[in-house]
Amino acid sequence: MAPSNTSTTDGGSTPARTPGPGGASARLPGEPSGPGTHPVDELLSPVKLVSTGLQHVAAMYAGVVAPPLIVGAGVGLSPAELALLISASLFTAGLATLLQTLGVWKIGARLPFVNGVSFAGVAPMIAIAKGSIDSTGGPKHALPVIFGAVIVAGTLCFLAAPYFCKLIRFFPPVIQGTVITLIGVSLLPVAVNWARGGSPGAPGFGSMRAIGLAAITLVAVVLCNRLLRGFWQQLSLLVGLAFGTLIAFPLGLADFGPVKDAKVFALPSPFHFGAPEFDAAAIVSLCIVMVVSMTESTADMLALGRIVDREADEPTLAAGLRADGLATALSPVFNGFAASAFAQNIGLVALTKIRSRYVVATGGGILVLLGLFPVLGSLVSLVPQPVLGGAGIVLFGTVAASGIRTLAEAGMESGSNTILVSVSLGVGIVPIAVPAFYDSFPEAVRTLMHSGISAGTVTAVLLNLLFHHVGSARRTAAGEPPGTTVPTVTPS
């Protein structure tokens, strides 16, 4: 891990930036800060790009298809329309990932950063659909109202990006470590549910066959990581997924039915479900969701920056958020939903040690092909949920371990930092341990606090302000004892 240029004992330092004309940062997002090619910008061989890019697709596939499945079922779509919605989500997730990794102008973080369909908006979109159906007497206008709100929310994110990214000054290493740990801890229950079979309604959910298959996959990934060497070791997740899937067929937990029924090619039809409609209440609801997604994306970029040894500074954060906003605003054109960071893929970068953004860009290209060729998407969907669960425990645990390592470097000998971490982790774990905890709270609070990542991040930032910003300069001026750290905030 490269040393950070932020203070490790307080919570208020801003990462140093190379000043340009007028004192502004002269470095574009993703531009190397020193001589030589950074591993993030390394272009690997075609075989390595495809194989490791496929690993990223396998890690995120279930997360991409779950939101359209849930929303489509809530709207009452037919199986054919549901398949179209899933293909659209894969297609738009691929475009968003390409934009985020390759970048255009000041759009795109140019990090190995995967974008997909945001799960944070699922509950509000279901509520919007229900309200639209109740008011119109049918589902005809439900998706157009949702798409209209998504377009406005994405535009808000794009315009607010250069201002929102200035929150980096409130994300010193102690907060970054807390958030990275919470990302891993928040995702582990997802892996456990996958290991049991995906959802309570799934055939064989919670059976010993499902859990045993997850355990076999977990052992396979661990053994591959221990016994293989070089490039094959970096493919340990993909090898484990393939092995687990082969074992699933004789156990009756996988079949080729989806492949037989899938279309070979399907070109996205712009506004297939109708032109977007703009409803004020729906727009406000999804704009709140977008702010929460921006908070999580900021935390994810900071986490990824530490893992790949390229600090995510203000220009990088702004460019990444612009990509989120632009991808979100354009997704409804192709019948997609809001796009945001996929934290599980951060764990894959940490596990494989492959930091090239072109690997993730290749994964984005594969997602586009899966959206255009549903038959290819059906092949990926052959991987059963228990197999994903076994691999997910390794992936998401790796993220949590990265956070703990960051905390070890963050000056935990400070009593205030200990309180900050303990309270933030506690608040972040509440919705993970008791998902219904905030059910009786106002909708705006539920939207913010239902995610352990956003709840813990907001708590950590507020405690950082309390301990390291409020009154700190006044205490120093009064002659506080040596050893008290005064945060230095570089003017933007």
Side-chain angles (χ1 to χ4, degrees), residues 3 46 127 136 146 163 175-176 197 222 252 256 262 267 278 350 357 383 389 410 413 421 431 470 477:
T136 62
I146 290 173
Y163 308 101
I175 292 185
Q176 293 182 32
V222 171
F256 283 99
L267 193 66
F278 300 95
R357 59 192 172 102
V383 181
E413 68 277 0
V421 173
V470 176

Side-chain angles (χ1 to χ4, degrees), residues 407-423:
L407 285 174
E409 303 169 0
M412 291 304 295
E413 68 277 0
S414 165
S416 60
N417 281 351
T418 301
I419 293 294
L420 185 155
V421 173
S422 60
V423 173

Side-chain angles (χ1 to χ4, degrees), residues 284-375:
V284 170
S285 178
L286 285 193
C287 281
I288 294 173
V289 170
M290 200 70 221
V291 172
V292 174
S293 294
M294 291 170 72
T295 303
E296 293 191 7
S297 286
T298 298
D300 288 340
M301 280 186 275
L302 289 169
L304 184 60
R306 292 190 67 84
I307 288 171
V308 302
D309 294 333
R310 174 180 281 177
E311 294 287 347
D313 55 11
E314 281 188 25
T316 300
L317 292 176
L321 292 175
R322 285 193 190 99
D324 277 8
L326 183 60
T328 296
L330 294 179
S331 285
V333 176
F334 301 103
N335 313 295
F337 299 114
S340 67
F342 263 43
Q344 55 261 49
N345 291 80
I346 296 175
L348 185 55
V349 173
L351 178 68
T352 64
K353 305 296 191 298
I354 298 177
R355 295 179 278 176
S356 171
R357 59 192 172 102
Y358 297 108
V359 163
V360 176
T362 303
I366 294 172
L367 286 170
V368 171
L369 290 177
L370 295 182
L372 292 174
F373 295 89
V375 67

Side-chain angles (χ1 to χ4, degrees), residues 221-308:
V221 173
V222 171
L223 289 179
C224 287
N225 199 267
R226 174 65 182 85
L227 300 176
L228 299 180
R229 292 290 180 269
F231 178 61
W232 285 105
Q233 184 184 53
Q234 294 172 332
L235 290 180
S236 58
L237 181 84
L238 193 61
V239 173
L241 289 172
F243 181 76
T245 302
L246 290 175
I247 297 295
F249 280 100
L251 292 176
L253 294 173
D255 65 80
F256 283 99
V259 179
K260 296 175 183 176
D261 299 333
K263 291 183 178 180
V264 175
F265 179 78
L267 193 66
S269 173
F271 297 123
H272 176 84
F273 297 97
E277 300 177 15
F278 300 95
D279 176 82
I283 289 171
V284 170
S285 178
L286 285 193
C287 281
I288 294 173
V289 170
M290 200 70 221
V291 172
V292 174
S293 294
M294 291 170 72
T295 303
E296 293 191 7
S297 286
T298 298
D300 288 340
M301 280 186 275
L302 289 169
L304 184 60
R306 292 190 67 84
I307 288 171
V308 302

Side-chain angles (χ1 to χ4, degrees), residues 67-104:
L69 273 172
I70 297 169
V71 175
V75 173
L77 297 182
S78 67
E81 291 175 322
L82 200 56
L84 188 150
L85 202 64
I86 292 171
S87 293
S89 294
L90 291 167
F91 179 75
T92 54
L95 293 180
T97 299
L98 287 169
L99 181 63
Q100 192 69 263
T101 51
L102 301 180
V104 177

Side-chain angles (χ1 to χ4, degrees), residues 32 56 102 138 140 151 165 174 189 276 336 362 389 393 418 425 466 477 480 482 484:
H56 279 280
L102 301 180
K140 181 180 178 181
I151 290 172
C165 72
V174 66
T362 303
I393 290 174
T418 301
L425 287 176
L466 175 65
E480 194 154 272
T484 301

